[in-house]
Every structure is written in structure tokens, then in C-alpha cells.
Amino acid sequence: MAEFSALAASAGTLAAGTVLCTRSRPDPKYFVGSGKAEEIRAAAELHQADLVLVDQTLSPSQERNLEKLTGRRVLDRNGLILDIFAQRARSFEGKLQVELAQLSHLATRLVRGWTHLERQKGGIGLRGPGETQLETDRRLIAKRIRTLRSRLEKLDRQRDTGRHVRREVPVPTVALVGYTNAGKSTLFNALTGSDSFVADQLFATLDPTVRRVKLGGVGEVVLADTVGFVRALPHELIAAFRSTLQEAREADLLLHVVDAGDPKRQERIEQVRDVLRGIGAGEIRELLVFNKIDVSQDEARTVASADGVASQAWVSAASGAGVGLLREAMAHAVRPNQVRRTFHLQLQAAAVRSELYTRNAVRAERQREDGSWDIDVELDLAEVAKLAGAKGVNLMETVRPVVQRVA
């Protein structure tokens, strides 16, 4: 109920009253029983409410029956979330995605009494009922949905071109995911120094924001802030925001941001993981970031998993506590198989040397008398194998750390 109240407040409504109901299975007519439906009607009249919000997914007929009984507009959970998304969308792509989700939702609810607006056919032998207003609306909505999908596919290709460019120069991608209002955008700003919109409200950020950030030992990393998740996120939204969620699906590491003070944080974690599995991102390495430790009074720290790679970080994005530890944990988690090797590069491999510097992978360099180079680099094991097979490149001995003996 607390989450539903927050959703209602985010949509700009003022709660006048609450009616609770427990049922073993939904009633086919009202979802709630007939007695509880009468109680909802009486409460709406008593408080002079303009709108009835239902924290469940209603069928079109249940929504229509409740509207007829109460004499007020009825909005189910999906409709409420879609309304919030419509208010928050700022970019052109975000507005198209929301409109597509709204039309997909509306297409199942075109069941009104439009039969009196039939378009008559003319001509001998063709008289009688023609296309009804309902059929016209369905046809227009289907046409608009096709147009929106075509535009979004074009934008998706453009976004994919950007990802392809990033893949040409392999820069690790880290995506921030998590339950809505867990502090993802605040943490994004703390890590990147940007000024993305932040507000204490659900779904404050809809449009994906991508920035580059430097991590010690890894170099540049692409950090992507994505849309927040929520319990029972409407399928229409998941389908419409597939290009936004693509940033999470193609990431090398997921920063799963969790409100450390949320009493239901474990339940929230599982709900986010369900959505991630639904979009094909369930197998990507995850670093749990417990945010807002300044409120929960926890200590800033990191926790490593059995393989020695950090799996948890406790931070406060607002105060900055633990953000330095998080950056170290990210550097290790995004490249868990990173090793240090020495290569000898001949003159014909000058382009390879330039690329290694571009990727900030060079840790030391020594030039020989013939102009060739011995370079110490830090790369992933797979990248080491690829580099060793390049023309004019020879893998030398492994660089070992120098241990200074103290007498």
C-alpha cells in the first residue's frame, strides 16, 4: 500500500480514502465482490472523489463495470503507471515509447456503445451496417501503432550504431539498474560528476543517460542510467522501452542499486532480477549497491564473493560515503579476468600501440635502440590472446610486482 500510495502521489493525485479487500480469486464482474464494490462507491461519494485507483490489473469489462457502478473514472495499476510515464517523458524517443505503450493498453479497452455511429455503405445491394465507430478507432490505433514502431525501430538502429562504435574500441559498459527511487540518478551523478535530473519521486528518470567515467586500472568506462523498475511492471512498458533496457542487456556489469533502509529490500531485489531475466540480462555479472547508508546508519564497505570479486558495496550517493570504495569495486568487477602482461611491438605494429594508448591499457613503456617498444599492459585474458596473435606483436614474460625487502 505504501508503494501504491507513492505511485498515486507521483501521478499528482490527492488520496481521499482507502478501501482494502482480500479475496481468494478475482470476481469476474468487478474484480472485488459486489458488496465491496458498493463500499467503494459509497466511499467515493462520501469523500467526493473524482477518480478511483485500483492496485491491480483490471480486465476491460471489470474496469467498465466499476465505472458504471461508481459513476467515476476507474484507473487500474497499469493505467496509473502509464500516466506517470506520460508525465515524465522528456525526449522524443521517450514520448514515442510512452505513446506506444498507452495505445497498446488502450487497444484492449475499446468497448463502448458506438454502434449508433455506423458508416453506411451506398449503392444497390450494399445497404446496411457498415464500419462502426469502434472498428474505425481500432483501425486508426493499429495504424498509429505501426507508425510508432517504425519510428522507434529507426531510433533503435541509430542507438545500435552508437553501441557498435563503442564496441569498435572495447570500452566496458556499466548499467545502473534497480527499483525506482533507490537513488540511481544520484549515484550516477556522484560517479560521473554530471547533473542528471534527481527527485524524490517514482520514475523520475525515464530517458537513458550515458556518460564516460575513468576507473583506476581499467581506464574509461561507459556508465548508463536506466529506467527504474517496479513491482508488476506493465508488459506494454517493457515492450515499448526495449531499446532503453537494451543498455542493461548489453552491459558488462550491472550496478544493482538498492535502498539500504527499505524493509522489503530483499523482495525488491528479486523483483528487479525477475525483470532483468525477462529482458535477457539475468546472466550478467551483478554488483549490489546498497545506497542511502546515511539514513540506514550502515557502515561504508565492500563485500567480495567466493571468486574474490566484489559483489556488494554499501554507499551513500548523497553524502559521498563509500563512493571511492565503489569505484574500486567496479574496476575489479567490470574486468575480473584482467591481467598484466609485457609485449614487444615491432615498428609495423605502431597502430596497435596507438590503440592500446587510446584504451588506456598501457602501464609502462620502454623503447629499444631499433625503435621498437616493450610495453606493459593490463588487459582481459581474452584480449591478451587476441593481441598476442597480431602481426608484429610478441608476448614476453609476465610482469611481476617488485617486492621490497625490509631489513
Side-chain angles (χ1 to χ4, degrees), residues 220-296:
E220 283 195 336
V221 169
V222 173
L223 199 62
D225 187 14
T226 63
V227 65
F229 300 152
V230 73
R231 174 178 60 87
L233 194 65
H235 293 294
E236 297 95 340
L237 282 174
I238 295 176
F241 280 75
R242 67 185 187 280
S243 61
T244 302
L245 298 174
Q246 187 85 355
E247 296 290 349
R249 195 169 69 182
E250 297 196 358
D252 298 287
L253 175 68
L254 297 178
L255 284 190
H256 185 166
V257 185
V258 182
D259 185 348
D262 190 344
K264 294 187 176 182
R265 69 187 188 196
Q266 192 57 43
E267 183 181 335
R268 304 287 187 245
I269 289 171
E270 292 305 319
Q271 288 162 353
V272 171
R273 285 173 175 168
D274 284 342
V275 177
L276 290 172
R277 283 190 288 267
I279 64 172
E283 301 300 321
I284 299 174
R285 181 180 288 273
E286 176 188 80
L287 173 57
L288 276 173
V289 182
F290 291 94
N291 191 23
K292 305 184 183 181
I293 60 171
D294 53 325
V295 178
S296 64

Side-chain angles (χ1 to χ4, degrees), residues 93 96-97 148-164 167 239-247 249-250:
E93 183 181 11
L96 289 182
Q97 289 168 332
L148 290 173
R149 283 177 176 163
S150 176
R151 291 183 180 178
L152 285 171
E153 284 172 4
K154 183 178 180 181
L155 290 170
D156 196 21
R157 287 195 297 271
Q158 293 174 354
R159 191 182 293 277
D160 197 47
T161 301
R163 294 192 194 100
H164 180 71
R167 286 193 293 265
F241 280 75
R242 67 185 187 280
S243 61
T244 302
L245 298 174
Q246 187 85 355
E247 296 290 349
R249 195 169 69 182
E250 297 196 358

Side-chain angles (χ1 to χ4, degrees), residues 341-357 362-377 387 391-397 399:
R341 295 287 186 267
T342 300
F343 286 92
H344 174 64
L345 273 63
Q346 299 174 15
L347 293 176
Q348 59 182 330
V352 175
R353 173 177 174 269
S354 176
E355 183 184 345
L356 290 171
Y357 271 101
V362 179
R363 299 294 172 262
E365 180 186 273
R366 297 165 297 280
Q367 191 165 21
R368 295 189 180 185
E369 292 182 359
D370 61 355
S372 62
W373 307 272
D374 291 339
I375 296 183
D376 302 339
V377 297
L387 184 60
K391 190 174 183 179
V393 179
N394 299 312
L395 177 62
M396 299 175 64
E397 64 186 40
V399 175

